[in-house]
Amino acid sequence: MITVTLILLATCTAETNAQENALWIEAEAYHAQAGSVGPDRPPFGSRGACLGSNWAAGKGHFVVYRIRLDRPIVAAALHLRYARLPESDSQFDLFRDGKPAAQPLKLESTAGWGHLRDDEWRYATVPLGDLAPGWHELKLVSLADRNNTNLDGFFLAPSSFRPPNKRADIETFPQPPLRRAANTPGPQWVDPSLELDDFQPTADDWYY
């Protein structure tokens, strides 16, 4: 009985730690992307926005995220929340810090674009290994035409993490600092390493 109790306590502790160590990154908070032609605002996406609007419609479309971790994540995984209406799979290469992170990633149809219901969004989980504190880069590259996929965002968390699939629950998780290109639209973290020479404002920047 004591052994069973200790196992249950250890399991509960591991699950609690996984939930507490999870970080959420909005898909539209990219450093760079090619393919999307404008904002996409699904009501059931986190904060009412996603990376979509023709993204991944062409082979070679990509998105890059640069993320700073303040503490390590042991046995980390990418928990990617996405939506795709066509019945076929979409396929991507995933790179972590410039190196392939997995075999080509296949995302199954979710029977919707995430605009009508929470269950039109689904998660794909990819192990990333241990992540040390500091800056990391994640990159997704479309491997085919007509690969259209809406990305709501992703969690960086231990593999045992159980991601929520309701917008209100997702929005309660902390977000890490991100490094973004100078003219990337949308309110996000201010990069502490940004210098005056990196700043290139335009008339329609979100902060004006």
Side-chain angles (χ1 to χ4, degrees):
M1 180 67 69
I2 294 175
T3 301
V4 172
T5 301
L6 289 175
I7 292 173
L8 289 173
L9 285 173
T11 301
C12 291
T13 300
E15 290 181 354
T16 299
N17 289 339
Q19 297 298 116
E20 291 178 349
N21 291 331
L23 297 170
W24 172 254
I25 295 89
E26 295 284 345
E28 64 275 14
Y30 49 78
H31 176 77
Q33 70 88 18
S36 178
V37 296
D40 197 328
R41 306 198 183 281
F44 292 89
S46 174
R47 291 174 173 79
C50 74
L51 175 63
S53 295
N54 207 51
W55 186 75
K59 182 177 181 180
H61 285 187
F62 69 86
V63 63
V64 176
Y65 300 94
R66 293 182 179 172
I67 305 146
R68 193 185 76 199
L69 300 181
D70 293 329
R71 57 185 177 181
I73 302 178
V74 178
L78 171 80
H79 304 270
L80 177 68
R81 190 176 193 239
Y82 74 94
R84 174 172 167 81
L85 177 61
E87 294 182 357
S88 59
D89 297 346
S90 57
Q91 300 184 52
F92 299 90
D93 272 334
L94 173 64
F95 298 89
R96 170 200 158 181
D97 298 328
K99 298 179 180 179
Q103 297 295 321
L105 179 62
K106 293 185 179 181
L107 302 181
E108 298 178 349
S109 172
T110 66
W113 293 116
H115 284 256
L116 300 179
R117 302 182 309 276
D118 283 312
D119 62 10
E120 289 184 346
W121 295 99
R122 189 177 300 176
Y123 283 97
T125 298
V126 182
L128 296 176
D130 295 344
L131 292 176
W135 287 100
H136 293 277
E137 181 179 279
L138 293 174
K139 182 178 184 179
L140 278 170
V141 181
S142 172
L143 295 178
D145 293 332
R146 299 181 181 179
N147 223 20
N148 303 61
T149 304
N150 284 354
L151 302 184
D152 189 30
F154 56 91
F155 285 100
L156 289 180
S159 298
S160 59
F161 174 66
R162 298 179 179 179
N165 203 34
K166 289 187 179 295
R167 170 181 171 176
D169 295 332
I170 293 170
E171 292 173 358
T172 66
F173 283 82
Q175 300 180 60
L178 305 173
R179 179 171 290 159
R180 308 194 65 202
N183 287 324
T184 307
Q188 296 298 333
W189 288 85
V190 175
D191 179 1
S193 67
L194 188 67
E195 297 180 355
L196 185 60
D197 291 341
D198 299 320
F199 183 68
Q200 301 174 4
T202 58
D204 60 348
D205 279 334
W206 64 268
Y207 30 73
Y208 288 110

